[in-house]
Amino acid sequence: MSDLEIRPAVLTDIPAVVAMLADDPLGARRESPDDLSPYEAAFRRLTEDPNQRIVVAVREERVVGTLQLTVVPGLSRRGATRSIIEGVRVHSDERGSGLGTQLIQWAVDESRRQSCRLVQLTSDTTRTDAHRFYERLGFAASHVGFKLTL
């Protein structure tokens, strides 16, 4: 896959990123690709925050994957910095190609560069294939997560 580039996302990538976010049963219920203005505003806020990284995977000038990496300083674990991986998506044409592994490896490598001592992520309980994928990459389902929608 030498023709793959993982690079910081730019504003013009937003339509492709949102299309990937919406391209599954969960995303179809919560994303709105017809109105990109809230995504563009969020992207601007994220790019102003030095602890946020939004990247896209590009093959042949086409966005085929994405994720967000957040670096979080903390007091626990002896003042350890951790990272959180969010919004991992691979275009349906690329699933099973190893692209997801490359994206997660990029996030782990970037976390090391940022002196993180822990990488964490959450995955909806219905995404059993994703759970197996993360476990194959060495992640352990060690915690129970909770969310409160506001």
Side-chain angles (χ1 to χ4, degrees), residues 48-143:
E48 292 171 1
D49 183 338
N51 290 319
Q52 303 293 333
R53 286 145 186 77
I54 300 177
V55 297
V56 291
V58 178
R59 185 186 316 280
E60 298 175 3
E61 299 182 30
R62 181 174 160 244
V63 174
V64 293
T66 188
L67 67 71
Q68 177 180 337
L69 183 70
T70 301
V71 175
V72 182
L75 291 175
S76 65
R77 295 179 180 252
R78 302 179 62 121
T81 299
R82 67 184 66 210
S83 66
I84 303 169
I85 299 172
E86 286 285 330
V88 179
R89 293 295 189 280
V90 171
H91 192 280
S92 58
D93 294 348
E94 295 276 336
R95 292 183 189 140
S97 70
L99 174 55
T101 299
Q102 288 181 280
L103 278 168
I104 296 299
Q105 189 58 59
W106 177 90
V108 170
D109 291 345
E110 180 63 18
S111 297
R112 283 190 180 102
R113 282 190 289 278
Q114 297 298 319
S115 301
C116 296
R117 297 196 29 224
L118 178 72
V119 179
Q120 60 190 45
L121 56 83
T122 61
S123 179
D124 190 275
T125 57
T126 63
R127 297 184 190 272
T128 54
D129 290 342
H131 303 167
R132 284 191 294 273
F133 168 72
Y134 293 127
E135 287 171 347
R136 276 196 315 271
L137 295 178
F139 288 83
S142 61
H143 289 68

Coordinates of all heavy atoms in Angstrom, one line a residue, residues 48-143:
E48 N -7.9 24.5 15.6 CA -7.3 25.5 16.5 C -6.7 24.9 17.8 O -6.0 25.6 18.5 CB -8.3 26.6 16.8 CG -8.7 27.4 15.6 CD -9.9 28.3 15.8 OE1 -10.4 28.3 16.9 OE2 -10.3 29.0 14.9
D49 N -7.1 23.7 18.1 CA -6.7 23.0 19.4 C -5.4 22.2 19.1 O -5.5 21.2 18.4 CB -7.8 22.2 19.9 CG -7.6 21.5 21.2 OD1 -6.4 21.4 21.6 OD2 -8.6 21.1 21.9
P50 N -4.3 22.5 19.8 CA -3.1 21.8 19.5 C -3.1 20.3 20.0 O -2.3 19.5 19.6 CB -2.0 22.6 20.3 CG -2.8 23.3 21.4 CD -4.1 23.6 20.8
N51 N -4.1 20.0 20.8 CA -4.2 18.6 21.3 C -5.1 17.7 20.4 O -5.4 16.6 20.7 CB -4.8 18.5 22.7 CG -3.7 19.1 23.7 OD1 -2.6 18.8 23.6 ND2 -4.2 19.9 24.6
Q52 N -5.5 18.3 19.3 CA -6.4 17.5 18.3 C -5.7 17.3 17.0 O -5.0 18.2 16.5 CB -7.7 18.3 18.0 CG -8.5 18.7 19.2 CD -9.1 17.5 19.9 OE1 -9.4 16.4 19.3 NE2 -9.3 17.6 21.2
R53 N -5.8 16.1 16.5 CA -5.3 15.7 15.2 C -6.4 15.0 14.4 O -7.0 14.0 14.9 CB -4.1 14.8 15.3 CG -2.9 15.6 15.7 CD -2.0 14.7 16.6 NE -0.9 15.4 17.2 CZ -1.0 16.2 18.2 NH1 -2.1 16.5 18.8 NH2 0.1 16.8 18.7
I54 N -6.8 15.5 13.3 CA -7.8 14.9 12.4 C -7.0 14.5 11.2 O -6.4 15.4 10.5 CB -9.0 15.7 12.1 CG1 -9.7 16.1 13.4 CG2 -9.9 15.0 11.1 CD1 -10.9 17.0 13.2
V55 N -6.9 13.3 10.8 CA -6.2 12.9 9.7 C -7.1 12.1 8.7 O -8.2 11.6 9.1 CB -5.0 11.9 10.0 CG1 -4.0 12.7 10.9 CG2 -5.4 10.7 10.6
V56 N -6.7 12.1 7.4 CA -7.3 11.4 6.4 C -6.3 10.5 5.7 O -5.1 10.8 5.7 CB -8.0 12.3 5.3 CG1 -9.2 13.0 5.9 CG2 -7.1 13.3 4.7
A57 N -6.8 9.3 5.3 CA -5.9 8.5 4.4 C -6.4 8.7 3.0 O -7.6 8.7 2.7 CB -6.2 7.0 4.8
V58 N -5.4 9.0 2.1 CA -5.7 9.3 0.8 C -5.0 8.3 -0.2 O -3.8 8.0 0.0 CB -5.2 10.8 0.5 CG1 -5.5 11.1 -1.0 CG2 -5.9 11.7 1.4
R59 N -5.8 7.8 -1.1 CA -5.2 6.9 -2.1 C -5.7 7.5 -3.5 O -6.9 7.7 -3.7 CB -5.7 5.5 -1.9 CG -5.1 4.5 -2.9 CD -5.6 3.1 -2.8 NE -5.8 2.6 -1.4 CZ -4.9 2.1 -0.6 NH1 -3.6 2.1 -1.0 NH2 -5.2 1.6 0.6
E60 N -4.8 7.7 -4.4 CA -5.1 8.2 -5.7 C -6.0 9.4 -5.6 O -7.0 9.5 -6.3 CB -5.7 7.1 -6.6 CG -4.8 5.9 -6.8 CD -5.5 4.8 -7.5 OE1 -6.7 4.9 -7.9 OE2 -4.9 3.7 -7.7
E61 N -5.6 10.4 -4.7 CA -6.2 11.7 -4.6 C -7.7 11.5 -4.0 O -8.5 12.5 -4.1 CB -6.2 12.5 -5.8 CG -4.8 12.8 -6.3 CD -4.8 13.6 -7.6 OE1 -5.7 14.4 -7.8 OE2 -3.8 13.5 -8.3
R62 N -8.0 10.4 -3.5 CA -9.3 10.1 -2.9 C -9.3 9.8 -1.4 O -8.4 9.0 -1.0 CB -10.0 8.9 -3.7 CG -11.3 8.6 -3.3 CD -11.9 7.5 -4.2 NE -13.0 6.8 -3.6 CZ -13.0 5.5 -3.3 NH1 -11.9 4.8 -3.5 NH2 -14.0 5.0 -2.7
V63 N -10.1 10.5 -0.6 CA -10.1 10.2 0.8 C -10.8 8.9 1.0 O -11.9 8.7 0.6 CB -10.8 11.4 1.6 CG1 -11.0 11.0 3.1 CG2 -10.1 12.7 1.4
V64 N -10.0 8.0 1.7 CA -10.5 6.6 1.9 C -10.6 6.2 3.3 O -11.0 5.1 3.7 CB -9.7 5.6 1.0 CG1 -10.0 5.8 -0.5 CG2 -8.2 5.6 1.4
G65 N -10.1 7.1 4.2 CA -10.2 6.7 5.7 C -9.9 8.0 6.5 O -9.5 9.0 6.0
T66 N -10.3 7.9 7.8 CA -10.1 9.0 8.6 C -10.1 8.6 10.1 O -10.6 7.5 10.4 CB -11.3 10.1 8.4 OG1 -10.9 11.3 9.2 CG2 -12.6 9.5 8.9
L67 N -9.6 9.4 10.9 CA -9.7 9.3 12.4 C -9.3 10.6 13.1 O -8.7 11.4 12.5 CB -8.9 8.1 13.0 CG -7.4 8.1 13.0 CD1 -6.7 9.1 13.9 CD2 -6.9 6.7 13.3
Q68 N -9.8 10.7 14.3 CA -9.4 11.8 15.2 C -8.6 11.3 16.3 O -9.0 10.3 16.9 CB -10.7 12.6 15.6 CG -10.4 13.7 16.6 CD -11.6 14.4 17.1 OE1 -12.7 14.3 16.4 NE2 -11.5 15.1 18.2
L69 N -7.5 12.0 16.7 CA -6.7 11.6 17.8 C -6.7 12.8 18.7 O -6.3 13.9 18.3 CB -5.3 11.3 17.4 CG -4.4 10.8 18.5 CD1 -4.8 9.4 19.0 CD2 -2.9 10.8 17.9
T70 N -7.0 12.6 20.0 CA -7.0 13.7 21.0 C -6.0 13.3 22.1 O -6.0 12.2 22.6 CB -8.4 13.8 21.7 OG1 -9.4 14.1 20.7 CG2 -8.4 14.9 22.7
V71 N -5.1 14.2 22.4 CA -4.1 14.1 23.4 C -4.6 14.7 24.7 O -5.0 15.9 24.6 CB -2.7 14.6 22.9 CG1 -1.7 14.5 24.1 CG2 -2.2 13.9 21.7
V72 N -4.6 14.0 25.8 CA -5.2 14.4 27.0 C -4.2 14.3 28.2 O -3.8 13.2 28.6 CB -6.4 13.6 27.4 CG1 -7.1 14.1 28.7 CG2 -7.4 13.6 26.3
P73 N -3.7 15.5 28.6 CA -2.8 15.4 29.8 C -3.7 15.0 31.0 O -4.9 15.3 31.1 CB -2.3 16.9 30.0 CG -2.8 17.6 28.8 CD -3.9 16.8 28.1
G74 N -3.0 14.4 32.0 CA -3.8 14.0 33.2 C -3.0 13.9 34.4 O -1.8 13.9 34.4
L75 N -3.7 13.7 35.5 CA -3.0 13.5 36.8 C -2.9 12.0 37.1 O -1.9 11.6 37.8 CB -3.8 14.2 37.9 CG -3.7 15.7 37.9 CD1 -4.6 16.3 39.0 CD2 -2.3 16.2 38.0
S76 N -3.9 11.2 36.7 CA -3.8 9.8 37.1 C -2.7 9.1 36.4 O -2.1 9.6 35.4 CB -5.1 9.1 36.7 OG -5.4 9.1 35.4
R77 N -2.3 7.9 36.8 CA -1.2 7.1 36.3 C 0.1 7.9 36.4 O 0.8 8.0 35.4 CB -1.5 6.6 34.9 CG -2.6 5.7 34.8 CD -2.9 5.3 33.3 NE -4.0 4.3 33.3 CZ -3.8 3.0 33.0 NH1 -2.6 2.5 32.7 NH2 -4.9 2.2 32.9
R78 N 0.3 8.6 37.5 CA 1.5 9.3 37.8 C 1.7 10.5 36.8 O 2.8 10.8 36.4 CB 2.7 8.4 37.8 CG 2.6 7.3 38.8 CD 3.8 6.4 38.8 NE 4.9 7.2 39.2 CZ 5.7 6.9 40.2 NH1 5.5 5.9 40.9 NH2 6.8 7.7 40.4
G79 N 0.6 11.1 36.5 CA 0.6 12.3 35.6 C 0.8 12.0 34.2 O 1.3 12.8 33.4
A80 N 0.3 10.8 33.8 CA 0.4 10.3 32.4 C -0.4 11.1 31.4 O -1.6 11.5 31.7 CB 0.1 8.8 32.3
T81 N 0.1 11.3 30.3 CA -0.7 11.8 29.1 C -1.2 10.6 28.4 O -0.5 9.6 28.2 CB 0.2 12.6 28.2 OG1 0.7 13.7 28.9 CG2 -0.5 13.1 27.0
R82 N -2.5 10.7 28.0 CA -3.1 9.6 27.2 C -3.6 10.2 25.9 O -3.7 11.4 25.7 CB -4.2 8.9 28.0 CG -5.4 9.8 28.2 CD -6.5 9.2 29.1 NE -5.9 9.0 30.4 CZ -6.3 8.0 31.3 NH1 -7.3 7.1 30.9 NH2 -5.8 7.8 32.4
S83 N -4.0 9.3 25.0 CA -4.6 9.7 23.8 C -5.9 8.9 23.6 O -6.1 7.8 24.1 CB -3.7 9.5 22.5 OG -3.5 8.2 22.3
I84 N -6.8 9.6 22.9 CA -8.1 9.0 22.6 C -8.3 8.9 21.1 O -8.2 10.0 20.4 CB -9.3 9.8 23.3 CG1 -9.1 9.9 24.8 CG2 -10.6 9.1 22.9 CD1 -10.0 10.8 25.5
I85 N -8.6 7.8 20.6 CA -8.9 7.6 19.1 C -10.4 7.7 19.0 O -11.1 6.9 19.7 CB -8.3 6.3 18.6 CG1 -6.8 6.2 18.8 CG2 -8.7 6.1 17.2 CD1 -6.2 4.9 18.5
E86 N -10.9 8.5 18.1 CA -12.3 8.6 17.8 C -12.6 8.7 16.3 O -11.7 9.0 15.5 CB -12.8 10.0 18.3 CG -13.0 10.1 19.8 CD -14.2 9.3 20.3 OE1 -15.2 9.2 19.6 OE2 -14.1 8.8 21.4
G87 N -13.8 8.4 15.9 CA -14.2 8.6 14.5 C -13.4 7.8 13.5 O -13.2 8.4 12.4
V88 N -13.0 6.6 13.8 CA -12.3 5.8 12.8 C -13.3 5.3 11.8 O -14.3 4.7 12.1 CB -11.7 4.6 13.5 CG1 -10.9 3.7 12.5 CG2 -10.7 5.0 14.7
R89 N -13.0 5.7 10.5 CA -13.8 5.2 9.4 C -12.9 4.8 8.2 O -11.9 5.5 8.0 CB -14.8 6.3 9.0 CG -15.8 6.6 10.0 CD -16.8 5.5 10.3 NE -17.9 5.9 11.1 CZ -17.9 6.0 12.4 NH1 -16.8 5.8 13.1 NH2 -19.0 6.4 13.0
V90 N -13.3 3.8 7.6 CA -12.6 3.3 6.3 C -13.7 3.3 5.3 O -14.8 2.7 5.5 CB -12.0 2.0 6.5 CG1 -11.5 1.4 5.2 CG2 -10.8 2.1 7.5
H91 N -13.5 3.8 4.1 CA -14.4 3.8 3.0 C -14.8 2.3 2.7 O -14.0 1.4 2.8 CB -13.8 4.5 1.8 CG -14.8 4.7 0.7 ND1 -15.2 3.8 -0.2 CD2 -15.5 5.9 0.4 CE1 -16.1 4.3 -1.0 NE2 -16.3 5.6 -0.7
S92 N -16.0 2.1 2.4 CA -16.5 0.7 2.2 C -15.7 0.0 1.1 O -15.5 -1.2 1.2 CB -18.0 0.8 1.8 OG -18.2 1.5 0.6
D93 N -15.2 0.7 0.1 CA -14.4 0.1 -0.9 C -13.0 -0.4 -0.4 O -12.4 -1.2 -1.1 CB -14.1 1.0 -2.1 CG -15.3 1.5 -2.8 OD1 -16.4 0.8 -2.7 OD2 -15.2 2.4 -3.6
E94 N -12.6 0.1 0.7 CA -11.3 -0.2 1.3 C -11.3 -1.2 2.5 O -10.3 -1.6 3.0 CB -10.6 1.1 1.7 CG -10.3 2.0 0.6 CD -9.0 1.7 -0.1 OE1 -8.1 1.1 0.5 OE2 -8.9 2.1 -1.3
R95 N -12.5 -1.5 2.9 CA -12.6 -2.4 4.1 C -12.0 -3.8 3.8 O -12.2 -4.3 2.8 CB -14.0 -2.5 4.6 CG -14.5 -1.2 5.1 CD -15.9 -1.2 5.7 NE -16.3 0.1 5.9 CZ -17.5 0.6 5.7 NH1 -18.5 -0.2 5.2 NH2 -17.8 1.8 6.0
G96 N -11.2 -4.2 4.8 CA -10.5 -5.5 4.6 C -9.1 -5.4 3.9 O -8.5 -6.4 3.7
S97 N -8.7 -4.2 3.5 CA -7.5 -4.0 2.8 C -6.3 -3.8 3.7 O -5.2 -3.7 3.2 CB -7.7 -2.8 1.9 OG -7.7 -1.6 2.6
G98 N -6.5 -3.6 5.0 CA -5.4 -3.3 5.9 C -5.3 -1.8 6.2 O -4.5 -1.4 7.0
L99 N -6.2 -1.0 5.6 CA -6.1 0.4 5.8 C -6.5 0.8 7.3 O -5.8 1.6 7.9 CB -7.1 1.1 4.9 CG -7.3 2.6 5.1 CD1 -6.0 3.4 5.0 CD2 -8.3 3.2 4.1
G100 N -7.4 0.1 7.9 CA -7.8 0.4 9.3 C -6.6 0.1 10.2 O -6.3 0.9 11.1
T101 N -5.8 -0.9 9.9 CA -4.6 -1.2 10.7 C -3.6 -0.1 10.6 O -3.0 0.3 11.5 CB -4.0 -2.6 10.3 OG1 -5.0 -3.6 10.5 CG2 -2.8 -2.9 11.0
Q102 N -3.4 0.4 9.3 CA -2.5 1.5 9.1 C -2.9 2.7 9.8 O -2.1 3.4 10.4 CB -2.3 1.7 7.6 CG -1.6 0.6 6.9 CD -1.4 1.0 5.4 OE1 -2.4 0.8 4.7 NE2 -0.3 1.5 5.1
L103 N -4.2 3.0 9.8 CA -4.7 4.2 10.5 C -4.4 4.1 12.0 O -4.0 5.1 12.7 CB -6.2 4.5 10.2 CG -6.5 5.1 8.9 CD1 -8.0 5.0 8.7 CD2 -6.1 6.6 9.0
I104 N -4.8 3.0 12.6 CA -4.6 2.8 14.0 C -3.1 2.8 14.4 O -2.7 3.4 15.4 CB -5.3 1.5 14.5 CG1 -6.8 1.6 14.3 CG2 -4.9 1.2 16.0 CD1 -7.5 2.7 15.1
Q105 N -2.3 2.2 13.5 CA -0.8 2.2 13.8 C -0.3 3.7 13.7 O 0.5 4.1 14.5 CB -0.1 1.4 12.8 CG 1.4 1.2 13.2 CD 1.5 0.6 14.6 OE1 1.1 -0.5 14.8 NE2 2.2 1.3 15.5
W106 N -0.8 4.5 12.8 CA -0.4 5.9 12.8 C -0.8 6.5 14.1 O 0.0 7.3 14.7 CB -1.1 6.6 11.6 CG -0.8 8.1 11.6 CD1 0.2 8.7 11.0 CD2 -1.5 9.1 12.4 NE1 0.3 10.0 11.3 CE2 -0.8 10.3 12.1 CE3 -2.6 9.1 13.2 CZ2 -1.1 11.5 12.7 CZ3 -2.9 10.3 13.8 CH2 -2.2 11.5 13.6
A107 N -2.0 6.3 14.6 CA -2.4 6.9 15.8 C -1.6 6.5 17.0 O -1.2 7.3 17.9 CB -3.9 6.6 16.1
V108 N -1.2 5.2 17.1 CA -0.4 4.7 18.2 C 1.0 5.3 18.1 O 1.6 5.8 19.1 CB -0.3 3.2 18.1 CG1 0.8 2.6 19.1 CG2 -1.7 2.6 18.5
D109 N 1.6 5.4 16.9 CA 2.9 6.0 16.7 C 2.9 7.5 17.0 O 3.8 8.0 17.7 CB 3.3 5.8 15.2 CG 3.7 4.4 14.9 OD1 3.8 3.6 15.8 OD2 3.8 4.1 13.6
E110 N 1.8 8.2 16.6 CA 1.7 9.6 17.0 C 1.5 9.8 18.5 O 2.1 10.7 19.1 CB 0.5 10.3 16.2 CG 0.3 11.7 16.5 CD 1.5 12.6 16.1 OE1 2.3 12.2 15.3 OE2 1.5 13.8 16.6
S111 N 0.8 8.9 19.1 CA 0.7 8.9 20.6 C 2.0 8.8 21.3 O 2.3 9.5 22.2 CB -0.3 7.8 21.0 OG -1.6 8.1 20.5
R112 N 2.8 7.9 20.8 CA 4.2 7.7 21.3 C 5.0 9.0 21.1 O 5.7 9.5 22.0 CB 4.9 6.6 20.6 CG 4.5 5.2 21.2 CD 5.4 4.1 20.6 NE 5.0 2.9 21.2 CZ 4.3 1.9 20.5 NH1 4.0 2.2 19.2 NH2 3.9 0.8 21.0
R113 N 4.9 9.6 19.9 CA 5.6 10.9 19.7 C 5.2 12.0 20.6 O 6.0 12.9 20.9 CB 5.4 11.3 18.2 CG 6.3 10.6 17.2 CD 6.2 11.2 15.8 NE 4.9 11.1 15.1 CZ 4.6 10.0 14.5 NH1 5.4 8.9 14.4 NH2 3.4 9.9 13.9
Q114 N 3.9 11.9 21.1 CA 3.4 12.9 22.0 C 3.6 12.5 23.5 O 3.0 13.1 24.3 CB 1.9 13.1 21.7 CG 1.6 13.7 20.3 CD 2.2 15.0 20.1 OE1 2.1 15.9 21.0 NE2 2.7 15.3 19.0
S115 N 4.4 11.5 23.7 CA 4.7 11.0 25.0 C 3.5 10.5 25.8 O 3.5 10.5 27.0 CB 5.5 12.1 25.9 OG 6.6 12.5 25.2
C116 N 2.6 9.9 25.1 CA 1.4 9.3 25.7 C 1.8 8.0 26.3 O 2.6 7.3 25.7 CB 0.3 9.1 24.8 SG -0.4 10.7 24.1
R117 N 1.2 7.6 27.5 CA 1.5 6.3 28.1 C 0.4 5.4 27.9 O 0.5 4.2 28.3 CB 1.9 6.6 29.5 CG 3.1 7.4 29.6 CD 3.9 7.4 30.9 NE 3.7 6.3 31.8 CZ 3.5 6.3 33.1 NH1 3.4 7.5 33.7 NH2 3.4 5.2 33.8
L118 N -0.7 5.8 27.3 CA -1.9 5.0 27.2 C -2.7 5.5 26.0 O -2.8 6.7 25.7 CB -2.8 5.1 28.4 CG -4.1 4.4 28.5 CD1 -3.9 2.9 28.6 CD2 -5.0 4.9 29.6
V119 N -3.2 4.6 25.2 CA -4.1 4.9 24.0 C -5.4 4.2 24.3 O -5.5 3.1 24.6 CB -3.5 4.4 22.7 CG1 -4.5 4.7 21.6 CG2 -2.1 4.9 22.4
Q120 N -6.5 5.0 24.2 CA -7.8 4.4 24.5 C -8.8 4.8 23.4 O -8.5 5.7 22.6 CB -8.3 4.9 25.9 CG -8.5 6.3 26.0 CD -8.8 6.7 27.5 OE1 -8.1 6.2 28.4 NE2 -9.8 7.6 27.7
L121 N -9.8 4.0 23.3 CA -10.9 4.3 22.3 C -12.1 3.6 22.9 O -12.1 2.8 23.7 CB -10.5 3.8 20.9 CG -10.1 2.3 20.8 CD1 -11.4 1.4 20.7 CD2 -9.3 2.1 19.6
T122 N -13.3 4.1 22.3 CA -14.5 3.4 22.6 C -15.1 3.0 21.3 O -14.8 3.5 20.2 CB -15.5 4.4 23.3 OG1 -15.8 5.5 22.5 CG2 -15.0 4.9 24.7
S123 N -16.0 2.0 21.4 CA -16.7 1.5 20.2 C -18.1 1.1 20.7 O -18.3 0.4 21.7 CB -15.9 0.3 19.7 OG -16.5 -0.3 18.6
D124 N -19.0 1.4 19.9 CA -20.4 1.1 20.2 C -20.6 -0.4 20.4 O -20.0 -1.2 19.7 CB -21.3 1.6 19.1 CG -22.8 1.5 19.4 OD1 -23.4 0.4 19.3 OD2 -23.4 2.5 19.9
T125 N -21.4 -0.8 21.4 CA -21.6 -2.2 21.7 C -22.0 -3.0 20.6 O -21.8 -4.2 20.5 CB -22.5 -2.4 22.9 OG1 -23.8 -1.8 22.6 CG2 -22.0 -1.7 24.2
T126 N -22.7 -2.4 19.6 CA -23.2 -3.2 18.4 C -22.1 -3.5 17.4 O -22.3 -4.3 16.5 CB -24.3 -2.4 17.7 OG1 -23.9 -1.2 17.2 CG2 -25.5 -2.2 18.7
R127 N -21.0 -2.9 17.5 CA -19.9 -3.0 16.5 C -19.0 -4.2 16.8 O -17.8 -4.0 17.0 CB -19.1 -1.7 16.3 CG -19.9 -0.5 15.9 CD -19.0 0.7 15.7 NE -19.7 1.9 15.4 CZ -20.1 2.3 14.2 NH1 -19.9 1.6 13.2 NH2 -20.7 3.5 14.1
T128 N -19.5 -5.4 16.8 CA -18.7 -6.5 17.2 C -17.5 -6.8 16.3 O -16.4 -7.2 16.7 CB -19.6 -7.8 17.3 OG1 -20.3 -8.0 16.0 CG2 -20.6 -7.7 18.4
D129 N -17.6 -6.5 15.0 CA -16.5 -6.7 14.1 C -15.4 -5.7 14.4 O -14.2 -6.1 14.4 CB -16.9 -6.5 12.6 CG -17.8 -7.6 12.1 OD1 -17.8 -8.7 12.7 OD2 -18.4 -7.4 11.0
A130 N -15.7 -4.5 14.8 CA -14.7 -3.5 15.2 C -14.1 -3.9 16.5 O -12.8 -3.8 16.6 CB -15.4 -2.1 15.4
H131 N -14.8 -4.6 17.4 CA -14.2 -5.0 18.7 C -13.1 -6.1 18.4 O -12.1 -6.0 19.0 CB -15.3 -5.6 19.6 CG -16.4 -4.6 19.9 ND1 -17.5 -4.9 20.5 CD2 -16.5 -3.2 19.7 CE1 -18.3 -3.9 20.6 NE2 -17.7 -2.8 20.1
R132 N -13.5 -7.0 17.5 CA -12.5 -8.0 17.2 C -11.2 -7.4 16.5 O -10.1 -7.8 16.8 CB -13.1 -9.1 16.2 CG -14.0 -10.1 17.0 CD -14.4 -11.2 16.1 NE -15.2 -10.8 15.0 CZ -16.5 -10.7 15.0 NH1 -17.2 -11.0 16.1 NH2 -17.2 -10.4 13.9
F133 N -11.5 -6.4 15.7 CA -10.4 -5.7 15.0 C -9.5 -5.1 16.0 O -8.2 -5.2 16.0 CB -11.0 -4.7 14.0 CG -10.0 -3.7 13.5 CD1 -9.0 -4.0 12.6 CD2 -10.0 -2.4 13.9 CE1 -8.1 -3.1 12.1 CE2 -9.1 -1.4 13.4 CZ -8.2 -1.8 12.5
Y134 N -10.0 -4.3 17.0 CA -9.2 -3.6 18.0 C -8.5 -4.6 18.9 O -7.3 -4.4 19.2 CB -10.1 -2.7 18.8 CG -10.6 -1.5 18.0 CD1 -11.9 -1.2 18.0 CD2 -9.7 -0.7 17.2 CE1 -12.4 -0.1 17.2 CE2 -10.2 0.3 16.5 CZ -11.6 0.6 16.5 OH -12.0 1.7 15.7
E135 N -9.1 -5.7 19.2 CA -8.5 -6.7 20.0 C -7.3 -7.4 19.3 O -6.2 -7.6 19.9 CB -9.5 -7.8 20.5 CG -10.4 -7.3 21.5 CD -11.5 -8.2 21.9 OE1 -11.8 -9.1 21.1 OE2 -12.2 -7.9 22.9
R136 N -7.4 -7.6 18.0 CA -6.3 -8.1 17.2 C -5.1 -7.2 17.2 O -4.0 -7.6 17.0 CB -6.8 -8.4 15.7 CG -7.4 -9.7 15.5 CD -7.5 -10.1 14.0 NE -7.9 -9.0 13.1 CZ -9.2 -8.7 12.8 NH1 -10.2 -9.5 13.3 NH2 -9.5 -7.8 11.9
L137 N -5.4 -5.9 17.3 CA -4.3 -4.9 17.3 C -3.7 -4.7 18.7 O -2.9 -3.8 18.9 CB -4.8 -3.5 16.8 CG -5.2 -3.6 15.3 CD1 -5.8 -2.2 14.9 CD2 -4.1 -4.0 14.4
G138 N -4.2 -5.4 19.7 CA -3.6 -5.4 21.0 C -4.4 -4.6 22.1 O -4.0 -4.5 23.2
F139 N -5.6 -4.0 21.7 CA -6.4 -3.3 22.6 C -7.2 -4.3 23.4 O -7.6 -5.3 22.9 CB -7.4 -2.3 21.9 CG -6.7 -1.1 21.3 CD1 -6.1 -1.2 20.0 CD2 -6.7 0.1 21.9 CE1 -5.5 -0.1 19.4 CE2 -6.1 1.2 21.3 CZ -5.5 1.1 20.1
A140 N -7.4 -4.0 24.7 CA -8.1 -4.8 25.6 C -9.4 -4.1 26.0 O -9.4 -2.9 26.3 CB -7.3 -5.1 26.9
A141 N -10.5 -4.9 26.0 CA -11.8 -4.4 26.5 C -11.8 -4.4 28.0 O -12.4 -5.2 28.7 CB -12.9 -5.2 25.9
S142 N -11.1 -3.4 28.6 CA -10.8 -3.4 30.0 C -11.8 -2.6 30.9 O -11.7 -2.7 32.1 CB -9.4 -2.9 30.3 OG -9.2 -1.6 29.8
H143 N -12.6 -1.7 30.2 CA -13.4 -0.8 31.0 C -14.8 -0.8 30.4 O -15.0 -1.3 29.2 CB -12.9 0.6 30.9 CG -11.7 0.8 31.7 ND1 -10.4 0.3 31.3 CD2 -11.4 1.6 32.8 CE1 -9.5 0.7 32.2 NE2 -10.1 1.4 33.1

